[in-house]
Amino acid sequence: MANTQLKFAGVLEGWVPNFWEEPTYKNEPTDFRLKIRIDEESSEELRDILTKNYNDLCDWYRRTSGKSRFFDQPWIENEDGTITVRVTAKPKYGEFPFPIVDGALEALSEDLLIREGSTVMVSTKLMPYSPKSPQGGMRIRPVAIQILEAITEAAADSGTITDVSTLFEKHDGFTQKKPNVKKKPAKKSDNVSDEEDF
């Protein structure tokens, strides 16, 4: 079954994992997970696209597996009219790491730690669950991320990665050659992982 490609912009929220180190939870390998809040203006159209694809993939799973249990939809509705989209990459399927670039399509330095509040453009694939899975539904897989506005703790020179010019356009805004990064505001919960929310 073909995977639908989808691109959207939003603001990172919650705990932001390292984009280069293999993700772990309680010292065990785990999936890479990220939350992106989409502004109210863009939320309605994106919600409609995600809802249609989620329902279609649930129907496909039901027909092919004969089972009727489904994972929750991979986004949540917020009270202010925005939505928070949850993206997941599975290292065991070779989905991590994936390209991370700045506004000029330069590879992001591995020393630049992106934090909550950064604005990103995400290129994704909407993935079905296998009929062999105990539950069906839809997973949103990140294929590449472009940092449009960075909130960070450190900066360094850029590295090298695959060409992503077919996924993104150049944007005014964050570039590593002329960084204009913001410091992450200090708060008590910086060391608390919300990974269990997924």
Short mmCIF file of all heavy atoms in Angstrom, two decimals, residues 54-88:
data_model
loop_
_atom_site.label_atom_id
_atom_site.label_comp_id
_atom_site.label_asym_id
_atom_site.label_seq_id
_atom_site.Cartn_x
_atom_site.Cartn_y
_atom_site.Cartn_z
N TYR A 54 -6.43 8.62 8.28
CA TYR A 54 -6.55 7.72 9.43
C TYR A 54 -7.74 6.78 9.24
O TYR A 54 -7.61 5.55 9.40
CB TYR A 54 -6.69 8.54 10.71
CG TYR A 54 -6.93 7.71 11.95
CD1 TYR A 54 -5.89 7.04 12.59
CD2 TYR A 54 -8.21 7.59 12.48
CE1 TYR A 54 -6.11 6.28 13.72
CE2 TYR A 54 -8.44 6.83 13.62
CZ TYR A 54 -7.38 6.17 14.24
OH TYR A 54 -7.61 5.41 15.36
N ASN A 55 -8.89 7.32 8.88
CA ASN A 55 -10.09 6.49 8.67
C ASN A 55 -9.89 5.50 7.54
O ASN A 55 -10.29 4.34 7.64
CB ASN A 55 -11.31 7.37 8.42
CG ASN A 55 -11.73 8.14 9.65
OD1 ASN A 55 -11.44 7.75 10.78
ND2 ASN A 55 -12.41 9.26 9.45
N ASP A 56 -9.27 5.95 6.43
CA ASP A 56 -9.01 5.06 5.30
C ASP A 56 -8.09 3.90 5.70
O ASP A 56 -8.31 2.75 5.31
CB ASP A 56 -8.39 5.82 4.13
CG ASP A 56 -9.38 6.74 3.42
OD1 ASP A 56 -10.60 6.64 3.70
OD2 ASP A 56 -8.93 7.56 2.60
N LEU A 57 -7.04 4.22 6.49
CA LEU A 57 -6.10 3.18 6.89
C LEU A 57 -6.72 2.22 7.92
O LEU A 57 -6.40 1.03 7.93
CB LEU A 57 -4.80 3.79 7.42
CG LEU A 57 -3.94 4.48 6.36
CD1 LEU A 57 -2.74 5.17 6.98
CD2 LEU A 57 -3.49 3.49 5.30
N CYS A 58 -7.61 2.74 8.77
CA CYS A 58 -8.34 1.86 9.69
C CYS A 58 -9.24 0.90 8.91
O CYS A 58 -9.31 -0.30 9.21
CB CYS A 58 -9.17 2.67 10.68
SG CYS A 58 -8.19 3.49 11.96
N ASP A 59 -9.93 1.42 7.88
CA ASP A 59 -10.79 0.58 7.03
C ASP A 59 -9.95 -0.48 6.32
O ASP A 59 -10.34 -1.65 6.24
CB ASP A 59 -11.54 1.43 6.02
CG ASP A 59 -12.62 2.29 6.65
OD1 ASP A 59 -13.02 2.00 7.80
OD2 ASP A 59 -13.07 3.25 5.99
N TRP A 60 -8.80 -0.08 5.77
CA TRP A 60 -7.92 -1.02 5.09
C TRP A 60 -7.45 -2.12 6.04
O TRP A 60 -7.45 -3.31 5.68
CB TRP A 60 -6.72 -0.26 4.51
CG TRP A 60 -5.68 -1.16 3.92
CD1 TRP A 60 -5.69 -1.71 2.67
CD2 TRP A 60 -4.50 -1.64 4.56
NE1 TRP A 60 -4.57 -2.50 2.49
CE2 TRP A 60 -3.82 -2.47 3.65
CE3 TRP A 60 -3.95 -1.43 5.83
CZ2 TRP A 60 -2.62 -3.10 3.96
CZ3 TRP A 60 -2.75 -2.07 6.14
CH2 TRP A 60 -2.11 -2.88 5.21
N TYR A 61 -7.06 -1.73 7.25
CA TYR A 61 -6.61 -2.71 8.25
C TYR A 61 -7.73 -3.68 8.60
O TYR A 61 -7.51 -4.90 8.68
CB TYR A 61 -6.12 -1.96 9.50
CG TYR A 61 -5.71 -2.87 10.62
CD1 TYR A 61 -4.45 -3.44 10.66
CD2 TYR A 61 -6.60 -3.18 11.66
CE1 TYR A 61 -4.06 -4.28 11.70
CE2 TYR A 61 -6.23 -4.02 12.69
CZ TYR A 61 -4.96 -4.57 12.70
OH TYR A 61 -4.59 -5.41 13.74
N ARG A 62 -8.93 -3.17 8.78
CA ARG A 62 -10.09 -4.01 9.11
C ARG A 62 -10.35 -5.04 8.00
O ARG A 62 -10.57 -6.21 8.27
CB ARG A 62 -11.32 -3.14 9.35
CG ARG A 62 -12.54 -3.92 9.85
CD ARG A 62 -13.77 -3.03 9.97
NE ARG A 62 -13.61 -2.00 11.01
CZ ARG A 62 -13.48 -0.70 10.76
NH1 ARG A 62 -13.50 -0.23 9.52
NH2 ARG A 62 -13.34 0.16 11.75
N ARG A 63 -10.30 -4.57 6.75
CA ARG A 63 -10.55 -5.46 5.61
C ARG A 63 -9.46 -6.53 5.45
O ARG A 63 -9.76 -7.68 5.15
CB ARG A 63 -10.64 -4.66 4.30
CG ARG A 63 -11.91 -3.87 4.12
CD ARG A 63 -12.05 -3.33 2.69
NE ARG A 63 -10.84 -2.71 2.15
CZ ARG A 63 -10.50 -1.43 2.30
NH1 ARG A 63 -11.30 -0.62 2.97
NH2 ARG A 63 -9.39 -0.95 1.77
N THR A 64 -8.20 -6.13 5.63
CA THR A 64 -7.10 -7.06 5.36
C THR A 64 -6.79 -7.98 6.54
O THR A 64 -6.28 -9.09 6.33
CB THR A 64 -5.81 -6.31 4.97
OG1 THR A 64 -5.50 -5.37 6.00
CG2 THR A 64 -5.98 -5.59 3.65
N SER A 65 -7.06 -7.55 7.77
CA SER A 65 -6.72 -8.35 8.94
C SER A 65 -7.92 -9.04 9.58
O SER A 65 -7.77 -10.02 10.30
CB SER A 65 -6.04 -7.49 10.01
OG SER A 65 -6.99 -6.62 10.61
N GLY A 66 -9.11 -8.47 9.36
CA GLY A 66 -10.30 -8.99 10.03
C GLY A 66 -10.41 -8.52 11.47
O GLY A 66 -11.34 -8.92 12.19
N LYS A 67 -9.49 -7.66 11.92
CA LYS A 67 -9.49 -7.18 13.31
C LYS A 67 -10.04 -5.75 13.36
O LYS A 67 -9.94 -5.01 12.38
CB LYS A 67 -8.08 -7.23 13.89
CG LYS A 67 -7.53 -8.65 14.02
CD LYS A 67 -6.11 -8.66 14.54
CE LYS A 67 -5.13 -8.66 13.39
NZ LYS A 67 -3.75 -8.92 13.78
N SER A 68 -10.58 -5.38 14.51
CA SER A 68 -11.21 -4.05 14.65
C SER A 68 -10.70 -3.28 15.86
O SER A 68 -11.45 -2.53 16.48
CB SER A 68 -12.74 -4.21 14.76
OG SER A 68 -13.26 -4.74 13.56
N ARG A 69 -9.44 -3.44 16.19
CA ARG A 69 -8.83 -2.64 17.26
C ARG A 69 -7.83 -1.70 16.62
O ARG A 69 -7.07 -2.09 15.72
CB ARG A 69 -8.13 -3.55 18.27
CG ARG A 69 -9.11 -4.40 19.06
CD ARG A 69 -8.44 -5.15 20.18
NE ARG A 69 -7.80 -4.20 21.08
CZ ARG A 69 -6.77 -4.49 21.87
NH1 ARG A 69 -6.25 -5.68 21.86
NH2 ARG A 69 -6.25 -3.58 22.66
N PHE A 70 -7.83 -0.43 17.10
CA PHE A 70 -7.01 0.60 16.46
C PHE A 70 -6.26 1.43 17.49
O PHE A 70 -6.78 1.71 18.56
CB PHE A 70 -7.89 1.52 15.60
CG PHE A 70 -8.73 0.77 14.61
CD1 PHE A 70 -10.08 0.55 14.85
CD2 PHE A 70 -8.17 0.26 13.45
CE1 PHE A 70 -10.85 -0.16 13.95
CE2 PHE A 70 -8.93 -0.44 12.54
CZ PHE A 70 -10.28 -0.66 12.79
N PHE A 71 -5.04 1.82 17.11
CA PHE A 71 -4.30 2.79 17.91
C PHE A 71 -5.01 4.13 17.80
O PHE A 71 -5.68 4.42 16.81
CB PHE A 71 -2.86 2.94 17.40
CG PHE A 71 -2.01 1.72 17.65
CD1 PHE A 71 -1.68 0.87 16.60
CD2 PHE A 71 -1.54 1.44 18.91
CE1 PHE A 71 -0.90 -0.24 16.80
CE2 PHE A 71 -0.75 0.31 19.13
CZ PHE A 71 -0.43 -0.53 18.08
N ASP A 72 -4.86 4.97 18.84
CA ASP A 72 -5.43 6.32 18.79
C ASP A 72 -4.87 7.09 17.60
O ASP A 72 -3.75 6.83 17.15
CB ASP A 72 -5.13 7.09 20.08
CG ASP A 72 -5.87 6.52 21.28
OD1 ASP A 72 -6.90 5.85 21.09
OD2 ASP A 72 -5.39 6.74 22.41
N GLN A 73 -5.63 8.07 17.13
CA GLN A 73 -5.13 8.92 16.04
C GLN A 73 -3.88 9.65 16.52
O GLN A 73 -3.78 10.01 17.69
CB GLN A 73 -6.22 9.90 15.61
CG GLN A 73 -6.70 10.82 16.71
CD GLN A 73 -7.97 11.56 16.35
OE1 GLN A 73 -8.78 11.08 15.59
NE2 GLN A 73 -8.14 12.75 16.91
N PRO A 74 -2.88 9.84 15.63
CA PRO A 74 -1.61 10.42 16.05
C PRO A 74 -1.61 11.96 16.11
O PRO A 74 -0.64 12.61 15.72
CB PRO A 74 -0.64 9.90 14.99
CG PRO A 74 -1.48 9.73 13.77
CD PRO A 74 -2.85 9.36 14.24
N TRP A 75 -2.66 12.54 16.58
CA TRP A 75 -2.71 13.98 16.85
C TRP A 75 -3.77 14.20 17.93
O TRP A 75 -4.63 13.36 18.15
CB TRP A 75 -3.04 14.79 15.59
CG TRP A 75 -4.44 14.65 15.08
CD1 TRP A 75 -5.52 15.46 15.36
CD2 TRP A 75 -4.96 13.62 14.22
NE1 TRP A 75 -6.65 15.00 14.73
CE2 TRP A 75 -6.34 13.88 14.02
CE3 TRP A 75 -4.40 12.51 13.59
CZ2 TRP A 75 -7.15 13.06 13.22
CZ3 TRP A 75 -5.20 11.71 12.81
CH2 TRP A 75 -6.56 11.99 12.62
N ILE A 76 -3.63 15.32 18.61
CA ILE A 76 -4.61 15.67 19.63
C ILE A 76 -5.16 17.07 19.35
O ILE A 76 -4.47 17.91 18.79
CB ILE A 76 -4.03 15.58 21.07
CG1 ILE A 76 -2.79 16.48 21.22
CG2 ILE A 76 -3.69 14.16 21.44
CD1 ILE A 76 -2.31 16.61 22.64
N GLU A 77 -6.39 17.26 19.75
CA GLU A 77 -7.05 18.56 19.60
C GLU A 77 -6.76 19.38 20.85
O GLU A 77 -6.94 18.90 21.96
CB GLU A 77 -8.57 18.36 19.47
CG GLU A 77 -8.98 17.32 18.44
CD GLU A 77 -9.11 17.89 17.06
OE1 GLU A 77 -9.20 19.12 16.92
OE2 GLU A 77 -9.12 17.09 16.10
N ASN A 78 -6.33 20.61 20.68
CA ASN A 78 -6.08 21.51 21.81
C ASN A 78 -7.25 22.47 21.97
O ASN A 78 -7.95 22.79 21.01
CB ASN A 78 -4.76 22.27 21.59
CG ASN A 78 -3.58 21.33 21.46
OD1 ASN A 78 -3.39 20.43 22.27
ND2 ASN A 78 -2.76 21.53 20.43
N GLU A 79 -7.45 22.95 23.18
CA GLU A 79 -8.59 23.83 23.48
C GLU A 79 -8.55 25.13 22.70
O GLU A 79 -9.59 25.75 22.46
CB GLU A 79 -8.65 24.11 24.99
CG GLU A 79 -9.03 22.90 25.81
CD GLU A 79 -9.12 23.21 27.29
OE1 GLU A 79 -9.03 24.40 27.66
OE2 GLU A 79 -9.28 22.26 28.07
N ASP A 80 -7.35 25.59 22.29
CA ASP A 80 -7.24 26.87 21.59
C ASP A 80 -7.46 26.75 20.08
O ASP A 80 -7.23 27.69 19.34
CB ASP A 80 -5.87 27.51 21.87
CG ASP A 80 -4.70 26.64 21.40
OD1 ASP A 80 -4.95 25.54 20.85
OD2 ASP A 80 -3.55 27.05 21.60
N GLY A 81 -7.90 25.57 19.61
CA GLY A 81 -8.15 25.39 18.18
C GLY A 81 -6.96 24.85 17.40
O GLY A 81 -7.07 24.55 16.22
N THR A 82 -5.79 24.75 18.05
CA THR A 82 -4.62 24.17 17.40
C THR A 82 -4.68 22.65 17.54
O THR A 82 -5.50 22.12 18.29
CB THR A 82 -3.32 24.68 18.04
OG1 THR A 82 -3.28 24.24 19.41
CG2 THR A 82 -3.25 26.21 17.99
N ILE A 83 -3.81 21.96 16.80
CA ILE A 83 -3.64 20.53 17.01
C ILE A 83 -2.16 20.25 17.26
O ILE A 83 -1.29 21.00 16.81
CB ILE A 83 -4.16 19.68 15.83
CG1 ILE A 83 -3.43 19.99 14.52
CG2 ILE A 83 -5.67 19.82 15.67
CD1 ILE A 83 -3.78 19.05 13.37
N THR A 84 -1.89 19.19 18.00
CA THR A 84 -0.53 18.73 18.22
C THR A 84 -0.37 17.39 17.52
O THR A 84 -1.06 16.42 17.84
CB THR A 84 -0.22 18.59 19.72
OG1 THR A 84 -0.33 19.87 20.34
CG2 THR A 84 1.20 18.06 19.93
N VAL A 85 0.53 17.35 16.54
CA VAL A 85 0.77 16.16 15.74
C VAL A 85 1.95 15.41 16.36
O VAL A 85 2.96 16.00 16.72
CB VAL A 85 1.08 16.54 14.28
CG1 VAL A 85 1.44 15.32 13.46
CG2 VAL A 85 -0.10 17.28 13.66
N ARG A 86 1.80 14.09 16.48
CA ARG A 86 2.88 13.25 17.01
C ARG A 86 3.49 12.47 15.85
O ARG A 86 2.80 11.73 15.15
CB ARG A 86 2.32 12.28 18.06
CG ARG A 86 1.80 12.99 19.29
CD ARG A 86 1.23 12.01 20.26
NE ARG A 86 0.20 11.17 19.64
CZ ARG A 86 -0.93 10.84 20.24
NH1 ARG A 86 -1.19 11.25 21.45
NH2 ARG A 86 -1.80 10.07 19.62
N VAL A 87 4.80 12.66 15.65
CA VAL A 87 5.51 11.92 14.61
C VAL A 87 6.41 10.88 15.26
O VAL A 87 6.94 11.11 16.35
CB VAL A 87 6.31 12.85 13.66
CG1 VAL A 87 5.38 13.82 12.94
CG2 VAL A 87 7.39 13.60 14.40
N THR A 88 6.56 9.74 14.59
CA THR A 88 7.34 8.63 15.15
C THR A 88 8.19 8.00 14.06
O THR A 88 7.67 7.63 13.00
CB THR A 88 6.39 7.55 15.72
OG1 THR A 88 5.50 8.15 16.65
CG2 THR A 88 7.18 6.45 16.41
#
